[in-house]
Amino acid sequence: MIIDRQHYVLCSHCDLVIELSDITVGHKAVCPRCNATLAKNNSNMKFSAVMYAICSLIMIIVACGFIFIDIRIVGNFIGVSVLDIPKTLFSDNYSYISALFILFVLLFPIFNLSIIVLLCSKLQLTKYRKRDLLVVYEKCQHWCMPEIFLTGILVSFVKLMSYGSIGVTGTFWAFCLFVFFYIKSLVIFSPETIWNEIHRSNFATDTPKVGKTGICQNLKLCKCCQAILPVHYVKCPRCKQKSNIRDRDKIQWTLALLVTSLILYIPANLFGIMITVVFGSSSTSTIMDGVIYMWQAGDIPVALVIFIASVVIPILKIISLSWLCYFALAVKRKNKQHCLRMKRLYTAVEFIGKWSMIDIFVVAVICSLVRNQQMMGVYPDIGVTFFATVVIITMIASQKFDPRLIWDRPKNRK
């Protein structure tokens, strides 16, 4: 089966004008210049996406209602549900981390799943409602982290074994299914299909010239709905969001945020992230203390995961984004191979950036479970707040960077 989609698109990564047509079901169209995915054709997209989204919502309701992890410490049984984790953090006066957990693990994913159900079901929604839902979906998508929390749970099991006997219930497997169905629904769902139902994607007054950049033809891309717009349009007619031909001014924001994250990264590593109290005696552990503990205990793979996610990735992300800003602003002689390397670097930074939150989720799980009152207790420390802020700031910094600047020639810079 082949669908006929003869329309023009502007690549969001390199600004090349491309004409799309005849995308076979199960295949996708990629940019010939930077290899970025432009469009895909999934058979029965709406039905498959809504089914996976509904299944995912059912699983998260089950996962939030019952105990999903338990631990036995010196004969005492302690069990927590997903909702008990933010409650514990809030009671420890870490409402900031509690709010991040609720937003990133629960609310934002549930919002996006609900939006998929509304847009892909047979409900009669006006084009204005569809537009608003798609804008919210786009805003929330970067901040959904249920899969990272699940990985954090698995990593925390290794350290929890030193405190007592760990057990999981059927609710834990319900949460695993929630994450699986959530990822499947996101992979299948195509916002472009819904946007095209609302309005056309090409608002150019003249036929775009294929193989040339949009900036050379006085065209720009709407970052929200991917529509092609003339440069004089202040707002996109389709999604009503403001758009610029280039976000060069945001490079200053990126650099400022990187400097801020680098400053905050120092106390994030110097201060402890957990306080362990045993028979009234307390000890503080930093991120590196956790890595060293895992390494000495023989859990080398887990130690490497924590070290890479919590130490290597934040530093590499700051260095990589700084290098991308330098390449976009200062390098005058660019060839395709150099630009492709920078594009791959930016894609990697976008993908791995939020995985640094894994250490925050490990702390949240351990602090919620190890609460044996007078005998033993684990509590979050101030370093976890600094580290979470570093991760969020670097994520915002990467979103501020415009990858099209990588491909711009000096004569096209405006």
Side-chain angles (χ1 to χ4, degrees), residues 71-133:
I71 185 171
R72 293 183 182 273
I73 303 176
V74 197
N76 292 328
F77 173 84
I78 304 173
V80 296
S81 68
V82 175
L83 293 179
D84 287 333
I85 295 175
K87 287 179 183 177
T88 303
L89 293 170
F90 183 81
S91 65
D92 289 337
N93 297 321
Y94 279 84
S95 55
Y96 172 60
I97 304 299
S98 176
L100 293 182
F101 180 92
I102 293 173
L103 291 174
F104 296 164
V105 179
L106 297 175
L107 286 188
F108 287 164
I110 290 173
F111 281 164
N112 276 4
L113 290 169
S114 302
I115 289 171
I116 291 174
V117 172
L118 292 172
L119 292 175
C120 295
S121 63
K122 294 184 179 180
L123 292 176
Q124 296 299 319
L125 300 175
T126 65
K127 64 179 182 180
Y128 305 107
R129 293 291 173 266
K130 290 182 178 180
R131 179 195 67 198
D132 295 340
L133 290 172

Short mmCIF file of all heavy atoms in Angstrom, two decimals, residues 71-133:
data_model
loop_
_atom_site.label_atom_id
_atom_site.label_comp_id
_atom_site.label_asym_id
_atom_site.label_seq_id
_atom_site.Cartn_x
_atom_site.Cartn_y
_atom_site.Cartn_z
N ILE A 71 10.27 -4.08 50.86
CA ILE A 71 11.57 -4.47 51.40
C ILE A 71 11.38 -4.93 52.84
O ILE A 71 10.54 -4.38 53.57
CB ILE A 71 12.59 -3.30 51.33
CG1 ILE A 71 13.98 -3.76 51.77
CG2 ILE A 71 12.12 -2.11 52.15
CD1 ILE A 71 15.06 -2.70 51.52
N ARG A 72 12.14 -5.94 53.24
CA ARG A 72 12.11 -6.43 54.61
C ARG A 72 13.45 -6.12 55.26
O ARG A 72 14.50 -6.59 54.82
CB ARG A 72 11.85 -7.94 54.65
CG ARG A 72 10.45 -8.32 54.17
CD ARG A 72 10.18 -9.80 54.30
NE ARG A 72 8.86 -10.13 53.78
CZ ARG A 72 7.74 -10.08 54.49
NH1 ARG A 72 7.80 -9.71 55.76
NH2 ARG A 72 6.57 -10.40 53.96
N ILE A 73 13.39 -5.28 56.31
CA ILE A 73 14.59 -4.87 57.03
C ILE A 73 14.46 -5.33 58.49
O ILE A 73 13.58 -4.86 59.22
CB ILE A 73 14.80 -3.34 56.99
CG1 ILE A 73 14.85 -2.85 55.53
CG2 ILE A 73 16.06 -2.94 57.72
CD1 ILE A 73 14.96 -1.35 55.40
N VAL A 74 15.30 -6.26 58.88
CA VAL A 74 15.31 -6.80 60.24
C VAL A 74 13.90 -7.20 60.67
O VAL A 74 13.41 -6.82 61.73
CB VAL A 74 15.91 -5.78 61.23
CG1 VAL A 74 16.31 -6.49 62.54
CG2 VAL A 74 17.10 -5.06 60.66
N GLY A 75 13.22 -7.93 59.81
CA GLY A 75 11.90 -8.44 60.13
C GLY A 75 10.75 -7.48 59.89
O GLY A 75 9.59 -7.88 59.97
N ASN A 76 11.05 -6.22 59.62
CA ASN A 76 10.00 -5.24 59.36
C ASN A 76 9.72 -5.14 57.86
O ASN A 76 10.65 -5.13 57.05
CB ASN A 76 10.39 -3.86 59.89
CG ASN A 76 10.43 -3.83 61.40
OD1 ASN A 76 9.66 -4.54 62.06
ND2 ASN A 76 11.34 -3.04 61.97
N PHE A 77 8.43 -5.08 57.53
CA PHE A 77 8.01 -5.01 56.12
C PHE A 77 7.66 -3.56 55.77
O PHE A 77 6.87 -2.91 56.48
CB PHE A 77 6.80 -5.91 55.90
CG PHE A 77 6.19 -5.78 54.54
CD1 PHE A 77 6.69 -6.50 53.47
CD2 PHE A 77 5.10 -4.94 54.32
CE1 PHE A 77 6.12 -6.39 52.21
CE2 PHE A 77 4.52 -4.82 53.07
CZ PHE A 77 5.04 -5.55 52.02
N ILE A 78 8.24 -3.05 54.68
CA ILE A 78 7.94 -1.70 54.19
C ILE A 78 7.60 -1.81 52.71
O ILE A 78 8.38 -2.35 51.92
CB ILE A 78 9.13 -0.74 54.37
CG1 ILE A 78 9.57 -0.69 55.83
CG2 ILE A 78 8.77 0.66 53.87
CD1 ILE A 78 10.84 0.10 56.05
N GLY A 79 6.44 -1.32 52.33
CA GLY A 79 6.02 -1.33 50.93
C GLY A 79 5.57 0.05 50.50
O GLY A 79 5.03 0.83 51.29
N VAL A 80 5.80 0.38 49.24
CA VAL A 80 5.41 1.69 48.71
C VAL A 80 4.72 1.52 47.36
O VAL A 80 5.00 0.57 46.62
CB VAL A 80 6.62 2.64 48.55
CG1 VAL A 80 7.26 2.96 49.88
CG2 VAL A 80 7.65 2.05 47.58
N SER A 81 3.83 2.43 47.07
CA SER A 81 3.24 2.53 45.75
C SER A 81 3.93 3.67 45.00
O SER A 81 4.77 4.38 45.58
CB SER A 81 1.74 2.81 45.85
OG SER A 81 1.50 4.10 46.39
N VAL A 82 3.58 3.86 43.76
CA VAL A 82 4.19 4.94 42.98
C VAL A 82 3.89 6.29 43.62
O VAL A 82 4.77 7.18 43.68
CB VAL A 82 3.67 4.90 41.53
CG1 VAL A 82 4.21 6.09 40.73
CG2 VAL A 82 4.07 3.59 40.85
N LEU A 83 2.68 6.47 44.12
CA LEU A 83 2.30 7.76 44.71
C LEU A 83 2.94 7.98 46.07
O LEU A 83 3.04 9.13 46.52
CB LEU A 83 0.78 7.84 44.83
CG LEU A 83 -0.01 7.89 43.52
CD1 LEU A 83 -1.50 7.95 43.80
CD2 LEU A 83 0.41 9.08 42.67
N ASP A 84 3.38 6.92 46.74
CA ASP A 84 4.03 7.08 48.04
C ASP A 84 5.40 7.75 47.91
O ASP A 84 5.87 8.39 48.87
CB ASP A 84 4.21 5.72 48.72
CG ASP A 84 2.89 5.17 49.23
OD1 ASP A 84 1.99 5.97 49.53
OD2 ASP A 84 2.76 3.93 49.30
N ILE A 85 6.04 7.62 46.75
CA ILE A 85 7.38 8.19 46.58
C ILE A 85 7.35 9.71 46.64
O ILE A 85 8.10 10.32 47.43
CB ILE A 85 8.01 7.68 45.26
CG1 ILE A 85 8.23 6.17 45.35
CG2 ILE A 85 9.33 8.40 44.99
CD1 ILE A 85 8.74 5.55 44.07
N PRO A 86 6.51 10.42 45.86
CA PRO A 86 6.47 11.89 46.02
C PRO A 86 5.95 12.33 47.38
O PRO A 86 6.37 13.38 47.88
CB PRO A 86 5.54 12.34 44.89
CG PRO A 86 4.73 11.14 44.52
CD PRO A 86 5.64 9.97 44.76
N LYS A 87 5.06 11.53 48.00
CA LYS A 87 4.59 11.88 49.35
C LYS A 87 5.74 11.87 50.34
O LYS A 87 5.85 12.76 51.20
CB LYS A 87 3.51 10.88 49.79
CG LYS A 87 2.17 11.04 49.09
CD LYS A 87 1.20 9.99 49.59
CE LYS A 87 -0.13 10.07 48.84
NZ LYS A 87 -1.08 9.00 49.30
N THR A 88 6.61 10.87 50.24
CA THR A 88 7.75 10.78 51.15
C THR A 88 8.72 11.94 50.94
O THR A 88 9.20 12.54 51.90
CB THR A 88 8.49 9.44 50.94
OG1 THR A 88 7.59 8.35 51.14
CG2 THR A 88 9.66 9.31 51.91
N LEU A 89 8.99 12.27 49.70
CA LEU A 89 9.88 13.39 49.40
C LEU A 89 9.30 14.70 49.92
O LEU A 89 10.02 15.55 50.45
CB LEU A 89 10.11 13.49 47.89
CG LEU A 89 10.90 12.35 47.25
CD1 LEU A 89 10.84 12.44 45.73
CD2 LEU A 89 12.35 12.35 47.72
N PHE A 90 7.99 14.85 49.80
CA PHE A 90 7.33 16.07 50.28
C PHE A 90 7.41 16.15 51.80
O PHE A 90 7.65 17.23 52.37
CB PHE A 90 5.87 16.09 49.82
CG PHE A 90 5.14 17.35 50.20
CD1 PHE A 90 5.28 18.51 49.45
CD2 PHE A 90 4.32 17.38 51.32
CE1 PHE A 90 4.62 19.68 49.79
CE2 PHE A 90 3.64 18.54 51.67
CZ PHE A 90 3.80 19.68 50.91
N SER A 91 7.22 15.03 52.47
CA SER A 91 7.29 15.02 53.93
C SER A 91 8.70 15.29 54.44
O SER A 91 8.89 15.76 55.57
CB SER A 91 6.79 13.68 54.48
OG SER A 91 7.66 12.62 54.08
N ASP A 92 9.72 15.02 53.61
CA ASP A 92 11.11 15.31 53.96
C ASP A 92 11.52 16.73 53.59
O ASP A 92 12.72 17.05 53.59
CB ASP A 92 12.06 14.31 53.28
CG ASP A 92 11.96 12.92 53.86
OD1 ASP A 92 11.53 12.80 55.02
OD2 ASP A 92 12.31 11.95 53.15
N ASN A 93 10.52 17.57 53.25
CA ASN A 93 10.76 18.97 52.86
C ASN A 93 11.52 19.10 51.55
O ASN A 93 12.23 20.09 51.34
CB ASN A 93 11.49 19.72 53.98
CG ASN A 93 10.66 19.81 55.25
OD1 ASN A 93 9.45 20.01 55.19
ND2 ASN A 93 11.31 19.65 56.39
N TYR A 94 11.37 18.11 50.68
CA TYR A 94 11.93 18.20 49.34
C TYR A 94 10.78 18.26 48.33
O TYR A 94 10.64 17.41 47.45
CB TYR A 94 12.87 17.02 49.06
CG TYR A 94 14.24 17.21 49.65
CD1 TYR A 94 14.49 16.89 50.98
CD2 TYR A 94 15.27 17.78 48.91
CE1 TYR A 94 15.74 17.09 51.55
CE2 TYR A 94 16.52 17.98 49.46
CZ TYR A 94 16.75 17.63 50.77
OH TYR A 94 18.00 17.85 51.33
N SER A 95 9.96 19.29 48.49
CA SER A 95 8.79 19.45 47.63
C SER A 95 9.19 19.70 46.18
O SER A 95 8.45 19.34 45.26
CB SER A 95 7.91 20.60 48.14
OG SER A 95 8.65 21.80 48.27
N TYR A 96 10.36 20.30 45.96
CA TYR A 96 10.85 20.55 44.60
C TYR A 96 11.08 19.23 43.87
O TYR A 96 10.61 19.04 42.74
CB TYR A 96 12.16 21.35 44.69
CG TYR A 96 12.91 21.51 43.39
CD1 TYR A 96 12.32 22.15 42.31
CD2 TYR A 96 14.22 21.05 43.27
CE1 TYR A 96 13.02 22.32 41.12
CE2 TYR A 96 14.92 21.22 42.10
CZ TYR A 96 14.32 21.85 41.02
OH TYR A 96 15.01 22.01 39.85
N ILE A 97 11.77 18.29 44.50
CA ILE A 97 12.01 16.98 43.87
C ILE A 97 10.70 16.21 43.75
O ILE A 97 10.46 15.51 42.76
CB ILE A 97 13.03 16.18 44.70
CG1 ILE A 97 14.33 16.98 44.86
CG2 ILE A 97 13.33 14.84 44.03
CD1 ILE A 97 15.02 17.32 43.56
N SER A 98 9.82 16.34 44.76
CA SER A 98 8.51 15.69 44.69
C SER A 98 7.70 16.19 43.50
O SER A 98 7.07 15.39 42.79
CB SER A 98 7.75 15.94 46.00
OG SER A 98 6.44 15.41 45.94
N ALA A 99 7.73 17.50 43.27
CA ALA A 99 6.99 18.07 42.14
C ALA A 99 7.57 17.60 40.81
O ALA A 99 6.82 17.29 39.86
CB ALA A 99 7.02 19.60 42.22
N LEU A 100 8.90 17.53 40.71
CA LEU A 100 9.53 17.04 39.49
C LEU A 100 9.13 15.60 39.21
O LEU A 100 8.85 15.23 38.05
CB LEU A 100 11.06 17.14 39.60
CG LEU A 100 11.66 18.54 39.65
CD1 LEU A 100 13.18 18.46 39.72
CD2 LEU A 100 11.22 19.39 38.47
N PHE A 101 9.08 14.79 40.25
CA PHE A 101 8.68 13.39 40.08
C PHE A 101 7.25 13.31 39.56
O PHE A 101 6.96 12.57 38.60
CB PHE A 101 8.80 12.65 41.41
CG PHE A 101 8.40 11.20 41.34
CD1 PHE A 101 9.35 10.24 41.08
CD2 PHE A 101 7.08 10.81 41.52
CE1 PHE A 101 8.99 8.90 41.00
CE2 PHE A 101 6.71 9.49 41.44
CZ PHE A 101 7.66 8.52 41.18
N ILE A 102 6.34 14.04 40.17
CA ILE A 102 4.94 13.99 39.75
C ILE A 102 4.79 14.45 38.30
O ILE A 102 4.05 13.84 37.51
CB ILE A 102 4.07 14.85 40.70
CG1 ILE A 102 4.04 14.22 42.10
CG2 ILE A 102 2.66 14.99 40.15
CD1 ILE A 102 3.35 15.09 43.13
N LEU A 103 5.49 15.51 37.94
CA LEU A 103 5.36 16.05 36.58
C LEU A 103 5.98 15.13 35.54
O LEU A 103 5.34 14.78 34.54
CB LEU A 103 6.02 17.43 36.51
CG LEU A 103 5.33 18.57 37.26
CD1 LEU A 103 6.18 19.83 37.21
CD2 LEU A 103 3.95 18.85 36.67
N PHE A 104 7.24 14.72 35.76
CA PHE A 104 7.98 13.99 34.73
C PHE A 104 7.56 12.53 34.61
O PHE A 104 7.60 11.97 33.50
CB PHE A 104 9.49 14.05 35.03
CG PHE A 104 10.06 15.44 34.97
CD1 PHE A 104 11.30 15.72 35.52
CD2 PHE A 104 9.36 16.48 34.37
CE1 PHE A 104 11.84 17.00 35.47
CE2 PHE A 104 9.89 17.76 34.31
CZ PHE A 104 11.14 18.02 34.87
N VAL A 105 7.18 11.91 35.71
CA VAL A 105 6.87 10.47 35.69
C VAL A 105 5.38 10.21 35.51
O VAL A 105 4.99 9.22 34.88
CB VAL A 105 7.39 9.79 36.97
CG1 VAL A 105 7.04 8.30 36.97
CG2 VAL A 105 8.89 9.97 37.10
N LEU A 106 4.53 11.10 36.02
CA LEU A 106 3.10 10.84 36.02
C LEU A 106 2.29 11.81 35.15
O LEU A 106 1.69 11.41 34.15
CB LEU A 106 2.58 10.86 37.46
CG LEU A 106 3.16 9.81 38.41
CD1 LEU A 106 2.65 10.02 39.82
CD2 LEU A 106 2.83 8.41 37.92
N LEU A 107 2.28 13.09 35.51
CA LEU A 107 1.35 14.02 34.87
C LEU A 107 1.63 14.22 33.38
O LEU A 107 0.71 14.10 32.55
CB LEU A 107 1.39 15.37 35.60
CG LEU A 107 0.69 15.42 36.96
CD1 LEU A 107 0.64 16.85 37.47
CD2 LEU A 107 -0.73 14.87 36.86
N PHE A 108 2.86 14.54 33.01
CA PHE A 108 3.16 14.80 31.60
C PHE A 108 2.91 13.57 30.72
O PHE A 108 2.29 13.69 29.65
CB PHE A 108 4.59 15.31 31.44
CG PHE A 108 4.79 16.73 31.89
CD1 PHE A 108 6.06 17.24 32.13
CD2 PHE A 108 3.71 17.56 32.10
CE1 PHE A 108 6.25 18.55 32.55
CE2 PHE A 108 3.88 18.88 32.52
CZ PHE A 108 5.16 19.37 32.76
N PRO A 109 3.36 12.37 31.12
CA PRO A 109 3.03 11.19 30.31
C PRO A 109 1.52 10.95 30.22
O PRO A 109 1.00 10.60 29.14
CB PRO A 109 3.74 10.04 31.03
CG PRO A 109 4.85 10.69 31.75
CD PRO A 109 4.33 12.02 32.17
N ILE A 110 0.79 11.13 31.34
CA ILE A 110 -0.66 10.93 31.31
C ILE A 110 -1.33 11.97 30.41
O ILE A 110 -2.27 11.65 29.66
CB ILE A 110 -1.22 10.98 32.74
CG1 ILE A 110 -0.78 9.74 33.52
CG2 ILE A 110 -2.75 11.06 32.73
CD1 ILE A 110 -1.14 9.76 34.99
N PHE A 111 -0.85 13.21 30.46
CA PHE A 111 -1.39 14.25 29.57
C PHE A 111 -1.22 13.83 28.11
O PHE A 111 -2.16 13.90 27.31
CB PHE A 111 -0.67 15.58 29.80
CG PHE A 111 -1.14 16.33 31.01
CD1 PHE A 111 -0.39 17.37 31.54
CD2 PHE A 111 -2.33 16.01 31.63
CE1 PHE A 111 -0.82 18.06 32.66
CE2 PHE A 111 -2.77 16.69 32.75
CZ PHE A 111 -2.01 17.71 33.27
N ASN A 112 -0.01 13.40 27.76
CA ASN A 112 0.26 13.04 26.36
C ASN A 112 -0.55 11.83 25.92
O ASN A 112 -1.05 11.78 24.79
CB ASN A 112 1.75 12.79 26.16
CG ASN A 112 2.52 14.08 25.91
OD1 ASN A 112 1.95 15.17 25.96
ND2 ASN A 112 3.80 13.98 25.65
N LEU A 113 -0.68 10.85 26.78
CA LEU A 113 -1.50 9.67 26.45
C LEU A 113 -2.96 10.06 26.27
O LEU A 113 -3.63 9.59 25.33
CB LEU A 113 -1.36 8.61 27.53
CG LEU A 113 -0.01 7.90 27.64
CD1 LEU A 113 0.06 7.08 28.91
CD2 LEU A 113 0.24 7.02 26.42
N SER A 114 -3.45 10.92 27.13
CA SER A 114 -4.84 11.38 27.01
C SER A 114 -5.05 12.17 25.73
O SER A 114 -6.09 12.04 25.07
CB SER A 114 -5.21 12.25 28.22
OG SER A 114 -5.05 11.54 29.43
N ILE A 115 -4.06 12.97 25.35
CA ILE A 115 -4.15 13.75 24.10
C ILE A 115 -4.20 12.81 22.90
O ILE A 115 -4.96 13.02 21.96
CB ILE A 115 -2.97 14.73 24.00
CG1 ILE A 115 -3.16 15.86 25.02
CG2 ILE A 115 -2.85 15.30 22.59
CD1 ILE A 115 -1.96 16.77 25.15
N ILE A 116 -3.38 11.76 22.92
CA ILE A 116 -3.39 10.79 21.83
C ILE A 116 -4.76 10.13 21.71
O ILE A 116 -5.29 9.96 20.61
CB ILE A 116 -2.28 9.73 22.04
CG1 ILE A 116 -0.90 10.37 21.86
CG2 ILE A 116 -2.44 8.56 21.06
CD1 ILE A 116 0.25 9.44 22.18
N VAL A 117 -5.34 9.77 22.86
CA VAL A 117 -6.67 9.15 22.85
C VAL A 117 -7.70 10.10 22.26
O VAL A 117 -8.53 9.72 21.42
CB VAL A 117 -7.07 8.72 24.28
CG1 VAL A 117 -8.53 8.26 24.31
CG2 VAL A 117 -6.17 7.61 24.78
N LEU A 118 -7.66 11.37 22.67
CA LEU A 118 -8.63 12.34 22.18
C LEU A 118 -8.48 12.60 20.68
O LEU A 118 -9.47 12.72 19.95
CB LEU A 118 -8.50 13.65 22.95
CG LEU A 118 -8.91 13.62 24.43
CD1 LEU A 118 -8.54 14.93 25.11
CD2 LEU A 118 -10.41 13.36 24.55
N LEU A 119 -7.24 12.70 20.22
CA LEU A 119 -7.00 13.04 18.82
C LEU A 119 -7.21 11.86 17.87
O LEU A 119 -7.58 12.06 16.71
CB LEU A 119 -5.58 13.59 18.64
CG LEU A 119 -5.29 14.95 19.29
CD1 LEU A 119 -3.82 15.30 19.15
CD2 LEU A 119 -6.15 16.05 18.65
N CYS A 120 -6.96 10.66 18.35
CA CYS A 120 -7.04 9.49 17.48
C CYS A 120 -8.38 8.74 17.60
O CYS A 120 -8.62 7.81 16.84
CB CYS A 120 -5.89 8.53 17.77
SG CYS A 120 -4.26 9.21 17.40
N SER A 121 -9.19 9.12 18.56
CA SER A 121 -10.50 8.49 18.68
C SER A 121 -11.48 9.16 17.71
O SER A 121 -11.13 10.10 16.98
CB SER A 121 -11.02 8.59 20.11
OG SER A 121 -11.20 9.94 20.48
N LYS A 122 -12.71 8.71 17.74
CA LYS A 122 -13.73 9.25 16.82
C LYS A 122 -14.52 10.40 17.42
O LYS A 122 -15.60 10.74 16.93
CB LYS A 122 -14.68 8.12 16.41
CG LYS A 122 -14.00 7.03 15.58
CD LYS A 122 -14.99 5.98 15.11
CE LYS A 122 -14.29 4.93 14.26
NZ LYS A 122 -15.23 3.89 13.78
N LEU A 123 -13.96 11.02 18.47
CA LEU A 123 -14.61 12.19 19.05
C LEU A 123 -14.60 13.34 18.05
O LEU A 123 -13.59 13.57 17.37
CB LEU A 123 -13.91 12.60 20.33
CG LEU A 123 -14.01 11.65 21.53
CD1 LEU A 123 -13.16 12.17 22.68
CD2 LEU A 123 -15.45 11.49 21.97
N GLN A 124 -15.69 14.06 18.00
CA GLN A 124 -15.80 15.18 17.07
C GLN A 124 -15.21 16.43 17.72
O GLN A 124 -15.89 17.16 18.45
CB GLN A 124 -17.27 15.41 16.69
CG GLN A 124 -17.91 14.25 15.94
CD GLN A 124 -17.21 13.97 14.61
OE1 GLN A 124 -16.83 14.90 13.87
NE2 GLN A 124 -17.03 12.70 14.30
N LEU A 125 -13.94 16.68 17.47
CA LEU A 125 -13.26 17.85 18.00
C LEU A 125 -13.11 18.90 16.93
O LEU A 125 -12.86 18.59 15.76
CB LEU A 125 -11.88 17.47 18.54
CG LEU A 125 -11.82 16.45 19.67
CD1 LEU A 125 -10.36 16.11 19.98
CD2 LEU A 125 -12.51 16.96 20.91
N THR A 126 -13.26 20.16 17.30
CA THR A 126 -13.03 21.24 16.35
C THR A 126 -11.53 21.34 16.07
O THR A 126 -10.70 20.86 16.84
CB THR A 126 -13.53 22.57 16.91
OG1 THR A 126 -12.76 22.92 18.07
CG2 THR A 126 -15.02 22.47 17.29
N LYS A 127 -11.22 21.99 14.96
CA LYS A 127 -9.80 22.13 14.61
C LYS A 127 -9.05 22.98 15.64
O LYS A 127 -7.84 22.82 15.82
CB LYS A 127 -9.66 22.72 13.22
CG LYS A 127 -10.18 24.14 13.06
CD LYS A 127 -9.97 24.63 11.63
CE LYS A 127 -10.45 26.07 11.47
NZ LYS A 127 -10.23 26.55 10.07
N TYR A 128 -9.77 23.87 16.33
CA TYR A 128 -9.12 24.69 17.35
C TYR A 128 -8.75 23.84 18.57
O TYR A 128 -7.69 24.04 19.17
CB TYR A 128 -10.04 25.83 17.75
CG TYR A 128 -10.51 26.67 16.58
CD1 TYR A 128 -11.81 26.58 16.10
CD2 TYR A 128 -9.63 27.54 15.93
CE1 TYR A 128 -12.24 27.33 15.02
CE2 TYR A 128 -10.04 28.29 14.84
CZ TYR A 128 -11.34 28.19 14.39
OH TYR A 128 -11.74 28.93 13.31
N ARG A 129 -9.62 22.91 18.94
CA ARG A 129 -9.30 22.02 20.05
C ARG A 129 -8.14 21.10 19.69
O ARG A 129 -7.26 20.84 20.51
CB ARG A 129 -10.54 21.20 20.43
CG ARG A 129 -11.67 22.01 21.02
CD ARG A 129 -11.32 22.54 22.40
NE ARG A 129 -12.35 23.46 22.88
CZ ARG A 129 -12.32 24.77 22.74
NH1 ARG A 129 -11.29 25.33 22.12
NH2 ARG A 129 -13.28 25.54 23.21
N LYS A 130 -8.17 20.59 18.46
CA LYS A 130 -7.06 19.74 18.02
C LYS A 130 -5.75 20.51 18.06
O LYS A 130 -4.71 19.97 18.48
CB LYS A 130 -7.33 19.21 16.61
CG LYS A 130 -8.45 18.20 16.51
CD LYS A 130 -8.60 17.72 15.07
CE LYS A 130 -9.71 16.67 14.96
NZ LYS A 130 -9.87 16.20 13.56
N ARG A 131 -5.80 21.75 17.60
CA ARG A 131 -4.59 22.58 17.60
C ARG A 131 -4.05 22.76 19.02
O ARG A 131 -2.85 22.58 19.26
CB ARG A 131 -4.92 23.94 16.99
CG ARG A 131 -3.74 24.92 16.95
CD ARG A 131 -4.23 26.32 16.68
NE ARG A 131 -5.02 26.82 17.80
CZ ARG A 131 -5.86 27.85 17.73
NH1 ARG A 131 -6.06 28.45 16.57
NH2 ARG A 131 -6.51 28.25 18.80
N ASP A 132 -4.92 23.10 19.95
CA ASP A 132 -4.48 23.32 21.33
C ASP A 132 -3.90 22.05 21.94
O ASP A 132 -2.89 22.08 22.65
CB ASP A 132 -5.66 23.82 22.18
CG ASP A 132 -6.15 25.19 21.74
OD1 ASP A 132 -5.38 25.91 21.07
OD2 ASP A 132 -7.31 25.53 22.04
N LEU A 133 -4.53 20.91 21.65
CA LEU A 133 -4.05 19.64 22.19
C LEU A 133 -2.67 19.29 21.63
O LEU A 133 -1.79 18.81 22.36
CB LEU A 133 -5.04 18.52 21.90
CG LEU A 133 -6.37 18.58 22.66
CD1 LEU A 133 -7.34 17.52 22.12
CD2 LEU A 133 -6.15 18.38 24.15
#
